[in-house]
Amino acid sequence: MGRLRAPLAWLALVATIAVPLGVAAGSDYLAYRGPVYIVAGFAGILALACLLVQPLLVAGVMPGVPRRIGRRWHRWSGALLMAAVAVHVGGLWITSPPDMIDALTFGAPTAFSAFGVVAMWALVMAALLAVARRSPGLRPQVWRLAHGAAVAVAVAASVPHALLIEGTMGTLSKAALCVAVVAALVWVLARLKPWTGVIRSRSGPTGR
Amino acid sequence: MTQSRIDRRTFVATGAASLLTCATGLVSPLHAQGVAPTRSMRGGANNYRPGAPVVERIGGGGFVMSGTVRRAGDGAPLEGIRIQIWAHTTEGRERDPHSHGATLTNADGVFQLEMPQIVPAFGQPHGHLAYDSGAFKTVFLRPVMPSARDTSLQAHFVLEPA
């Protein structure tokens, strides 16, 4: 079992992402959609997949990817995530501007629209923090909590956003990916404890 | 002893509550008699194209959109009312002109229009209907199909004079 652990972990991760992508690629609905709408939909799935990979990379829990390398990949994967969100929102805007205006102004009749917009702004927040990580006056302990909180909001909103949508994704594979996204975040937050050292103690900062 | 105190309290509370609901008009015999006008649904007007022609059916058909149009207040059926219908279907997107068509109600206030199968778009299998002819206040509806496999959908209008 010990020797199998690494390949099994990677196989599980790849399958959790590849199966929902494959099911969506085989959806009947694609035949009735234009190319822009199709790309926008798959960008959404890609963004959900990035949400799964991101915490695993930054915590260095994937076999063969130590934290030093994982953190570098985390930045690239984060950039990919933001690009996917931009393509998702932009593509849906081109497909149906009035529906996107409703969504972005929280006027849509569908709850998943509001969840999606909340998730988008939380991700923008997390990304802006990532860019401003080295800025003076921002203590690392505070930065870690803020970035972690923004990501937690993003995941908490992204999962109902995805689950409530009736689209190209298969119900089961979508639910499995969502469970994995939540589990990965909770596991990594419990491991990295971004809330430590936020409140300054007399004996000095305790964070890493 | 304790029993009688609760009884009195309940009696007073119930009396006060019924007085309050009648006085504020939340429950009114006047409103109970009238048929309330239909409110436009959120997102109902999205991708509307004013003036779509009255058609025999939209595209190849196979899916039935139907409903009724009545007058607010007395609920009388309205004849000759123009209802416009559009949706994302197997033959076109919501924005496409050929996805839009209109029909008229019969003497019983009933309308029915065949259209291509509705396909989920923007997260829900839904259709759009509009009354926008001027004599009554404009109403936009956006009914959602219970299942994407359904081959029919209904929507009902109660219109109030403009």
Side-chain angles (χ1 to χ4, degrees):
Chain A
M1 193 64 198
R3 259 184 305 169
L4 280 175
R5 210 176 146 264
L8 277 178
W10 279 102
L11 186 70
L13 179 65
V14 169
T16 309
I17 292 169
V19 170
L21 274 171
V23 170
S27 169
D28 295 340
Y29 299 155
L30 293 178
Y32 315 121
R33 295 184 176 192
V36 176
Y37 191 11
I38 291 173
V39 168
F42 277 95
I45 306 175
L46 180 64
L48 193 58
C50 285
L51 283 182
L52 169 60
V53 172
Q54 281 293 73
L56 302 178
L57 286 177
V58 81
V61 292
M62 287 312 290
V65 186
R67 246 176 115 177
R68 187 175 49 82
I69 295 169
R71 283 164 67 117
R72 195 186 311 149
W73 287 12
H74 179 83
R75 280 178 215 125
W76 285 108
S77 171
L80 179 68
L81 168 58
M82 296 315 291
V85 169
V87 170
H88 184 61
V89 174
L92 292 178
W93 180 284
I94 292 167
T95 303
S96 182
D99 283 313
M100 282 314 274
I101 292 168
D102 281 356
L104 293 170
T105 57
F106 294 99
T110 44
F112 57 75
S113 309
F115 280 123
V117 173
V118 169
M120 178 189 77
W121 287 119
L123 285 175
V124 167
M125 199 65 217
L128 287 176
L129 281 165
V131 171
R133 195 164 73 94
R134 298 260 180 237
S135 63
L138 193 57
R139 281 200 300 134
Q141 294 84 357
V142 174
W143 184 90
R144 274 159 31 102
L145 181 65
H147 186 71
V151 167
V153 171
V155 166
S158 293
V159 165
H161 172 69
L163 290 178
L164 289 172
I165 286 174
E166 190 166 350
T168 57
M169 289 185 89
T171 314
L172 273 179
S173 60
K174 178 166 67 178
L177 178 55
C178 287
V179 167
V181 166
V182 173
L185 179 71
V186 170
W187 181 37
V188 165
L189 284 179
R191 235 177 126 90
L192 298 183
K193 298 186 177 56
W195 49 84
T196 49
V198 173
I199 298 166
R200 253 191 259 253
S201 64
R202 261 163 199 273
S203 54
T206 54
R208 275 164 288 182
Chain B
M1 188 78 177
T2 318
Q3 191 70 42
S4 73
R5 245 177 71 189
I6 289 173
D7 276 350
R8 188 172 64 218
R9 198 175 279 177
T10 309
F11 173 77
V12 171
T14 312
S18 51
L19 266 174
L20 205 67
T21 43
C22 285
T24 54
L26 285 172
V27 176
S28 160
L30 281 172
H31 288 175
Q33 274 178 359
V35 180
T38 310
R39 302 251 170 264
S40 281
M41 294 177 177
R42 285 210 271 178
N46 288 357
N47 295 316
Y48 176 55
R49 298 179 71 95
V54 172
V55 291
E56 273 300 304
R57 66 163 187 266
I58 302 172
F63 184 98
V64 178
M65 181 76 89
S66 63
T68 57
V69 181
R70 293 186 296 153
R71 187 165 56 202
D74 62 0
L78 294 170
E79 183 181 2
I81 298 291
R82 188 177 171 284
I83 299 294
Q84 185 174 325
I85 295 164
W86 70 102
H88 181 102
T89 70
T90 52
E91 293 178 18
R93 297 172 301 167
E94 261 182 30
R95 289 167 83 181
D96 299 335
H98 68 262
S99 295
H100 293 241
T103 188
L104 301 172
T105 55
N106 65 15
D108 299 320
V110 174
F111 66 90
Q112 179 171 317
L113 186 62
E114 246 197 277
M115 59 192 293
Q117 176 66 40
I118 293 180
V119 182
F122 269 72
Q124 280 184 329
H126 67 278
H128 291 267
L129 301 96
Y131 167 79
D132 185 27
S133 301
F136 297 89
K137 282 185 184 164
T138 299
V139 174
F140 288 103
L141 299 183
R142 184 190 175 280
V144 177
M145 288 148 66
S147 160
R149 281 187 294 274
D150 289 353
T151 55
S152 67
L153 184 59
Q154 289 200 331
H156 303 284
F157 291 80
V158 176
L159 303 176
E160 59 181 334

